[in-house]
PDB file of all heavy atoms in Angstrom:
ATOM      1  N   ALA A   9       9.665  -5.044   4.852  1.00  0.00           N
ATOM      2  CA  ALA A   9      10.335  -3.745   4.895  1.00  0.00           C
ATOM      3  C   ALA A   9      11.098  -3.488   3.601  1.00  0.00           C
ATOM      4  O   ALA A   9      11.112  -2.364   3.083  1.00  0.00           O
ATOM      5  CB  ALA A   9      11.282  -3.704   6.090  1.00  0.00           C
ATOM      6  N   ILE A  10      11.730  -4.533   3.061  1.00  0.00           N
ATOM      7  CA  ILE A  10      12.474  -4.382   1.800  1.00  0.00           C
ATOM      8  C   ILE A  10      11.518  -4.075   0.650  1.00  0.00           C
ATOM      9  O   ILE A  10      11.771  -3.171  -0.168  1.00  0.00           O
ATOM     10  CB  ILE A  10      13.288  -5.655   1.511  1.00  0.00           C
ATOM     11  CG1 ILE A  10      14.374  -5.842   2.574  1.00  0.00           C
ATOM     12  CG2 ILE A  10      13.918  -5.591   0.111  1.00  0.00           C
ATOM     13  CD1 ILE A  10      15.099  -7.173   2.494  1.00  0.00           C
ATOM     14  N   VAL A  11      10.419  -4.814   0.563  1.00  0.00           N
ATOM     15  CA  VAL A  11       9.450  -4.590  -0.512  1.00  0.00           C
ATOM     16  C   VAL A  11       8.792  -3.217  -0.356  1.00  0.00           C
ATOM     17  O   VAL A  11       8.496  -2.544  -1.354  1.00  0.00           O
ATOM     18  CB  VAL A  11       8.390  -5.715  -0.529  1.00  0.00           C
ATOM     19  CG1 VAL A  11       7.288  -5.420  -1.545  1.00  0.00           C
ATOM     20  CG2 VAL A  11       9.046  -7.056  -0.859  1.00  0.00           C
ATOM     21  N   PHE A  12       8.609  -2.764   0.885  1.00  0.00           N
ATOM     22  CA  PHE A  12       8.048  -1.424   1.110  1.00  0.00           C
ATOM     23  C   PHE A  12       8.993  -0.359   0.556  1.00  0.00           C
ATOM     24  O   PHE A  12       8.547   0.617  -0.071  1.00  0.00           O
ATOM     25  CB  PHE A  12       7.823  -1.197   2.605  1.00  0.00           C
ATOM     26  CG  PHE A  12       6.943  -0.026   2.917  1.00  0.00           C
ATOM     27  CD1 PHE A  12       5.562  -0.153   2.917  1.00  0.00           C
ATOM     28  CD2 PHE A  12       7.484   1.208   3.221  1.00  0.00           C
ATOM     29  CE1 PHE A  12       4.744   0.926   3.201  1.00  0.00           C
ATOM     30  CE2 PHE A  12       6.686   2.301   3.505  1.00  0.00           C
ATOM     31  CZ  PHE A  12       5.311   2.158   3.497  1.00  0.00           C
ATOM     32  N   GLY A  13      10.297  -0.562   0.761  1.00  0.00           N
ATOM     33  CA  GLY A  13      11.272   0.359   0.192  1.00  0.00           C
ATOM     34  C   GLY A  13      11.236   0.348  -1.323  1.00  0.00           C
ATOM     35  O   GLY A  13      11.332   1.407  -1.972  1.00  0.00           O
ATOM     36  N   TYR A  14      11.057  -0.850  -1.901  1.00  0.00           N
ATOM     37  CA  TYR A  14      10.948  -0.954  -3.359  1.00  0.00           C
ATOM     38  C   TYR A  14       9.696  -0.249  -3.858  1.00  0.00           C
ATOM     39  O   TYR A  14       9.730   0.467  -4.874  1.00  0.00           O
ATOM     40  CB  TYR A  14      10.910  -2.430  -3.757  1.00  0.00           C
ATOM     41  CG  TYR A  14      10.631  -2.674  -5.218  1.00  0.00           C
ATOM     42  CD1 TYR A  14      11.618  -2.507  -6.175  1.00  0.00           C
ATOM     43  CD2 TYR A  14       9.361  -3.080  -5.635  1.00  0.00           C
ATOM     44  CE1 TYR A  14      11.360  -2.729  -7.518  1.00  0.00           C
ATOM     45  CE2 TYR A  14       9.092  -3.307  -6.971  1.00  0.00           C
ATOM     46  CZ  TYR A  14      10.100  -3.142  -7.905  1.00  0.00           C
ATOM     47  OH  TYR A  14       9.837  -3.353  -9.242  1.00  0.00           O
ATOM     48  N   ALA A  15       8.587  -0.398  -3.128  1.00  0.00           N
ATOM     49  CA  ALA A  15       7.334   0.256  -3.521  1.00  0.00           C
ATOM     50  C   ALA A  15       7.468   1.769  -3.498  1.00  0.00           C
ATOM     51  O   ALA A  15       6.867   2.479  -4.317  1.00  0.00           O
ATOM     52  CB  ALA A  15       6.198  -0.190  -2.596  1.00  0.00           C
ATOM     53  N   ALA A  16       8.287   2.283  -2.568  1.00  0.00           N
ATOM     54  CA  ALA A  16       8.490   3.729  -2.485  1.00  0.00           C
ATOM     55  C   ALA A  16       9.140   4.272  -3.746  1.00  0.00           C
ATOM     56  O   ALA A  16       8.910   5.423  -4.137  1.00  0.00           O
ATOM     57  CB  ALA A  16       9.359   4.055  -1.270  1.00  0.00           C
ATOM     58  N   VAL A  17       9.946   3.432  -4.406  1.00  0.00           N
ATOM     59  CA  VAL A  17      10.638   3.845  -5.623  1.00  0.00           C
ATOM     60  C   VAL A  17       9.819   3.513  -6.873  1.00  0.00           C
ATOM     61  O   VAL A  17       9.760   4.313  -7.822  1.00  0.00           O
ATOM     62  CB  VAL A  17      12.023   3.163  -5.719  1.00  0.00           C
ATOM     63  CG1 VAL A  17      12.713   3.498  -7.035  1.00  0.00           C
ATOM     64  CG2 VAL A  17      12.886   3.560  -4.536  1.00  0.00           C
ATOM     65  N   ALA A  18       9.163   2.346  -6.871  1.00  0.00           N
ATOM     66  CA  ALA A  18       8.538   1.831  -8.093  1.00  0.00           C
ATOM     67  C   ALA A  18       7.087   2.236  -8.284  1.00  0.00           C
ATOM     68  O   ALA A  18       6.564   2.139  -9.400  1.00  0.00           O
ATOM     69  CB  ALA A  18       8.646   0.309  -8.118  1.00  0.00           C
ATOM     70  N   SER A  19       6.403   2.660  -7.234  1.00  0.00           N
ATOM     71  CA  SER A  19       4.980   2.973  -7.364  1.00  0.00           C
ATOM     72  C   SER A  19       4.707   4.424  -7.006  1.00  0.00           C
ATOM     73  O   SER A  19       5.567   5.114  -6.453  1.00  0.00           O
ATOM     74  CB  SER A  19       4.143   2.049  -6.470  1.00  0.00           C
ATOM     75  OG  SER A  19       4.411   2.310  -5.106  1.00  0.00           O
ATOM     76  N   ASP A  20       3.505   4.875  -7.309  1.00  0.00           N
ATOM     77  CA  ASP A  20       3.160   6.276  -7.058  1.00  0.00           C
ATOM     78  C   ASP A  20       2.381   6.471  -5.760  1.00  0.00           C
ATOM     79  O   ASP A  20       1.991   7.586  -5.428  1.00  0.00           O
ATOM     80  CB  ASP A  20       2.345   6.834  -8.229  1.00  0.00           C
ATOM     81  CG  ASP A  20       1.070   6.027  -8.477  1.00  0.00           C
ATOM     82  OD1 ASP A  20       0.863   5.018  -7.772  1.00  0.00           O
ATOM     83  OD2 ASP A  20       0.297   6.399  -9.369  1.00  0.00           O
ATOM     84  N   ARG A  21       2.132   5.366  -5.017  1.00  0.00           N
ATOM     85  CA  ARG A  21       1.385   5.485  -3.762  1.00  0.00           C
ATOM     86  C   ARG A  21       1.929   4.495  -2.746  1.00  0.00           C
ATOM     87  O   ARG A  21       2.172   3.333  -3.044  1.00  0.00           O
ATOM     88  CB  ARG A  21      -0.097   5.210  -3.995  1.00  0.00           C
ATOM     89  CG  ARG A  21      -0.885   6.473  -4.223  1.00  0.00           C
ATOM     90  CD  ARG A  21      -2.322   6.346  -3.803  1.00  0.00           C
ATOM     91  NE  ARG A  21      -3.034   5.330  -4.562  1.00  0.00           N
ATOM     92  CZ  ARG A  21      -3.944   4.533  -4.036  1.00  0.00           C
ATOM     93  NH1 ARG A  21      -4.225   4.601  -2.754  1.00  0.00           N
ATOM     94  NH2 ARG A  21      -4.566   3.665  -4.785  1.00  0.00           N
ATOM     95  N   LEU A  22       2.113   4.946  -1.501  1.00  0.00           N
ATOM     96  CA  LEU A  22       2.647   4.091  -0.447  1.00  0.00           C
ATOM     97  C   LEU A  22       1.626   3.768   0.631  1.00  0.00           C
ATOM     98  O   LEU A  22       1.936   3.020   1.545  1.00  0.00           O
ATOM     99  CB  LEU A  22       3.858   4.762   0.219  1.00  0.00           C
ATOM    100  CG  LEU A  22       5.217   4.529  -0.427  1.00  0.00           C
ATOM    101  CD1 LEU A  22       6.292   5.235   0.353  1.00  0.00           C
ATOM    102  CD2 LEU A  22       5.513   3.042  -0.523  1.00  0.00           C
ATOM    103  N   ARG A  23       0.426   4.315   0.513  1.00  0.00           N
ATOM    104  CA  ARG A  23      -0.559   4.141   1.585  1.00  0.00           C
ATOM    105  C   ARG A  23      -1.932   3.845   0.998  1.00  0.00           C
ATOM    106  O   ARG A  23      -2.370   4.518   0.069  1.00  0.00           O
ATOM    107  CB  ARG A  23      -0.625   5.419   2.429  1.00  0.00           C
ATOM    108  CG  ARG A  23      -1.524   5.339   3.651  1.00  0.00           C
ATOM    109  CD  ARG A  23      -1.415   6.635   4.458  1.00  0.00           C
ATOM    110  NE  ARG A  23      -2.308   6.613   5.604  1.00  0.00           N
ATOM    111  CZ  ARG A  23      -3.592   6.961   5.579  1.00  0.00           C
ATOM    112  NH1 ARG A  23      -4.126   7.365   4.430  1.00  0.00           N
ATOM    113  NH2 ARG A  23      -4.329   6.908   6.669  1.00  0.00           N
ATOM    114  N   PRO A  24      -2.603   2.817   1.530  1.00  0.00           N
ATOM    115  CA  PRO A  24      -3.981   2.558   1.080  1.00  0.00           C
ATOM    116  C   PRO A  24      -4.890   3.739   1.409  1.00  0.00           C
ATOM    117  O   PRO A  24      -4.693   4.430   2.408  1.00  0.00           O
ATOM    118  CB  PRO A  24      -4.387   1.319   1.896  1.00  0.00           C
ATOM    119  CG  PRO A  24      -3.104   0.706   2.348  1.00  0.00           C
ATOM    120  CD  PRO A  24      -2.154   1.843   2.540  1.00  0.00           C
ATOM    121  N   VAL A  25      -5.875   3.946   0.569  1.00  0.00           N
ATOM    122  CA  VAL A  25      -6.838   5.033   0.763  1.00  0.00           C
ATOM    123  C   VAL A  25      -8.247   4.439   0.694  1.00  0.00           C
ATOM    124  O   VAL A  25      -8.580   3.725  -0.249  1.00  0.00           O
ATOM    125  CB  VAL A  25      -6.673   6.127  -0.309  1.00  0.00           C
ATOM    126  CG1 VAL A  25      -7.754   7.193  -0.160  1.00  0.00           C
ATOM    127  CG2 VAL A  25      -5.287   6.765  -0.223  1.00  0.00           C
ATOM    128  N   GLY A  26      -9.052   4.726   1.665  1.00  0.00           N
ATOM    129  CA  GLY A  26     -10.434   4.255   1.637  1.00  0.00           C
ATOM    130  C   GLY A  26     -10.587   2.865   2.231  1.00  0.00           C
ATOM    131  O   GLY A  26      -9.637   2.103   2.407  1.00  0.00           O
ATOM    132  N   ARG A  27     -11.845   2.545   2.532  1.00  0.00           N
ATOM    133  CA  ARG A  27     -12.156   1.286   3.193  1.00  0.00           C
ATOM    134  C   ARG A  27     -11.802   0.067   2.346  1.00  0.00           C
ATOM    135  O   ARG A  27     -11.292  -0.931   2.853  1.00  0.00           O
ATOM    136  CB  ARG A  27     -13.651   1.262   3.537  1.00  0.00           C
ATOM    137  CG  ARG A  27     -14.089   0.074   4.368  1.00  0.00           C
ATOM    138  CD  ARG A  27     -15.557   0.186   4.739  1.00  0.00           C
ATOM    139  NE  ARG A  27     -15.804   1.403   5.526  1.00  0.00           N
ATOM    140  CZ  ARG A  27     -17.019   1.791   5.889  1.00  0.00           C
ATOM    141  NH1 ARG A  27     -18.083   1.083   5.530  1.00  0.00           N
ATOM    142  NH2 ARG A  27     -17.172   2.882   6.610  1.00  0.00           N
ATOM    143  N   ALA A  28     -12.045   0.142   1.036  1.00  0.00           N
ATOM    144  CA  ALA A  28     -11.798  -1.009   0.163  1.00  0.00           C
ATOM    145  C   ALA A  28     -10.306  -1.358   0.113  1.00  0.00           C
ATOM    146  O   ALA A  28      -9.937  -2.539   0.171  1.00  0.00           O
ATOM    147  CB  ALA A  28     -12.322  -0.731  -1.244  1.00  0.00           C
ATOM    148  N   GLU A  29      -9.444  -0.357   0.008  1.00  0.00           N
ATOM    149  CA  GLU A  29      -8.016  -0.629  -0.083  1.00  0.00           C
ATOM    150  C   GLU A  29      -7.456  -1.139   1.243  1.00  0.00           C
ATOM    151  O   GLU A  29      -6.607  -2.038   1.260  1.00  0.00           O
ATOM    152  CB  GLU A  29      -7.270   0.618  -0.553  1.00  0.00           C
ATOM    153  CG  GLU A  29      -7.569   0.957  -2.010  1.00  0.00           C
ATOM    154  CD  GLU A  29      -6.724   2.086  -2.551  1.00  0.00           C
ATOM    155  OE1 GLU A  29      -5.971   2.703  -1.768  1.00  0.00           O
ATOM    156  OE2 GLU A  29      -6.811   2.362  -3.753  1.00  0.00           O
ATOM    157  N   TRP A  30      -7.925  -0.573   2.345  1.00  0.00           N
ATOM    158  CA  TRP A  30      -7.489  -1.094   3.644  1.00  0.00           C
ATOM    159  C   TRP A  30      -7.995  -2.521   3.858  1.00  0.00           C
ATOM    160  O   TRP A  30      -7.284  -3.369   4.434  1.00  0.00           O
ATOM    161  CB  TRP A  30      -7.965  -0.176   4.774  1.00  0.00           C
ATOM    162  CG  TRP A  30      -7.108   1.031   4.962  1.00  0.00           C
ATOM    163  CD1 TRP A  30      -7.413   2.325   4.688  1.00  0.00           C
ATOM    164  CD2 TRP A  30      -5.763   1.051   5.458  1.00  0.00           C
ATOM    165  NE1 TRP A  30      -6.360   3.156   4.973  1.00  0.00           N
ATOM    166  CE2 TRP A  30      -5.330   2.404   5.453  1.00  0.00           C
ATOM    167  CE3 TRP A  30      -4.883   0.070   5.910  1.00  0.00           C
ATOM    168  CZ2 TRP A  30      -4.054   2.786   5.887  1.00  0.00           C
ATOM    169  CZ3 TRP A  30      -3.614   0.447   6.341  1.00  0.00           C
ATOM    170  CH2 TRP A  30      -3.209   1.790   6.325  1.00  0.00           C
ATOM    171  N   ALA A  31      -9.202  -2.799   3.394  1.00  0.00           N
ATOM    172  CA  ALA A  31      -9.723  -4.169   3.489  1.00  0.00           C
ATOM    173  C   ALA A  31      -8.878  -5.125   2.653  1.00  0.00           C
ATOM    174  O   ALA A  31      -8.596  -6.253   3.067  1.00  0.00           O
ATOM    175  CB  ALA A  31     -11.177  -4.208   3.038  1.00  0.00           C
ATOM    176  N   ALA A  32      -8.450  -4.677   1.466  1.00  0.00           N
ATOM    177  CA  ALA A  32      -7.639  -5.522   0.587  1.00  0.00           C
ATOM    178  C   ALA A  32      -6.310  -5.890   1.231  1.00  0.00           C
ATOM    179  O   ALA A  32      -5.902  -7.059   1.219  1.00  0.00           O
ATOM    180  CB  ALA A  32      -7.409  -4.810  -0.751  1.00  0.00           C
ATOM    181  N   VAL A  33      -5.610  -4.898   1.818  1.00  0.00           N
ATOM    182  CA  VAL A  33      -4.317  -5.212   2.436  1.00  0.00           C
ATOM    183  C   VAL A  33      -4.503  -6.055   3.692  1.00  0.00           C
ATOM    184  O   VAL A  33      -3.670  -6.914   4.007  1.00  0.00           O
ATOM    185  CB  VAL A  33      -3.494  -3.933   2.725  1.00  0.00           C
ATOM    186  CG1 VAL A  33      -3.184  -3.189   1.440  1.00  0.00           C
ATOM    187  CG2 VAL A  33      -4.193  -3.019   3.722  1.00  0.00           C
ATOM    188  N   ALA A  34      -5.611  -5.832   4.417  1.00  0.00           N
ATOM    189  CA  ALA A  34      -5.864  -6.634   5.618  1.00  0.00           C
ATOM    190  C   ALA A  34      -6.144  -8.082   5.266  1.00  0.00           C
ATOM    191  O   ALA A  34      -5.604  -9.010   5.889  1.00  0.00           O
ATOM    192  CB  ALA A  34      -7.035  -6.036   6.405  1.00  0.00           C
ATOM    193  N   ILE A  35      -6.997  -8.305   4.251  1.00  0.00           N
ATOM    194  CA  ILE A  35      -7.309  -9.679   3.832  1.00  0.00           C
ATOM    195  C   ILE A  35      -6.060 -10.376   3.312  1.00  0.00           C
ATOM    196  O   ILE A  35      -5.768 -11.523   3.661  1.00  0.00           O
ATOM    197  CB  ILE A  35      -8.419  -9.678   2.763  1.00  0.00           C
ATOM    198  CG1 ILE A  35      -9.750  -9.255   3.388  1.00  0.00           C
ATOM    199  CG2 ILE A  35      -8.554 -11.058   2.111  1.00  0.00           C
ATOM    200  CD1 ILE A  35     -10.848  -8.995   2.374  1.00  0.00           C
ATOM    201  N   ALA A  36      -5.285  -9.679   2.462  1.00  0.00           N
ATOM    202  CA  ALA A  36      -4.060 -10.278   1.937  1.00  0.00           C
ATOM    203  C   ALA A  36      -3.077 -10.573   3.067  1.00  0.00           C
ATOM    204  O   ALA A  36      -2.434 -11.629   3.082  1.00  0.00           O
ATOM    205  CB  ALA A  36      -3.424  -9.349   0.907  1.00  0.00           C
TER     206      ALA A  36
END
């Protein structure tokens, strides 16, 4: 949850898009 809050500030995207990105977060 803390890193998600950091990602909201530091990155330009908060949600995976497409099958490949969802697969990447699932595998990780």
Side-chain angles (χ1 to χ4, degrees):
I10 295 172
V11 174
F12 195 84
Y14 173 77
V17 176
S19 66
D20 58 357
R21 265 208 298 143
L22 273 181
R23 185 176 178 275
V25 175
R27 186 176 300 175
E29 291 187 354
W30 280 110
V33 298
I35 291 170

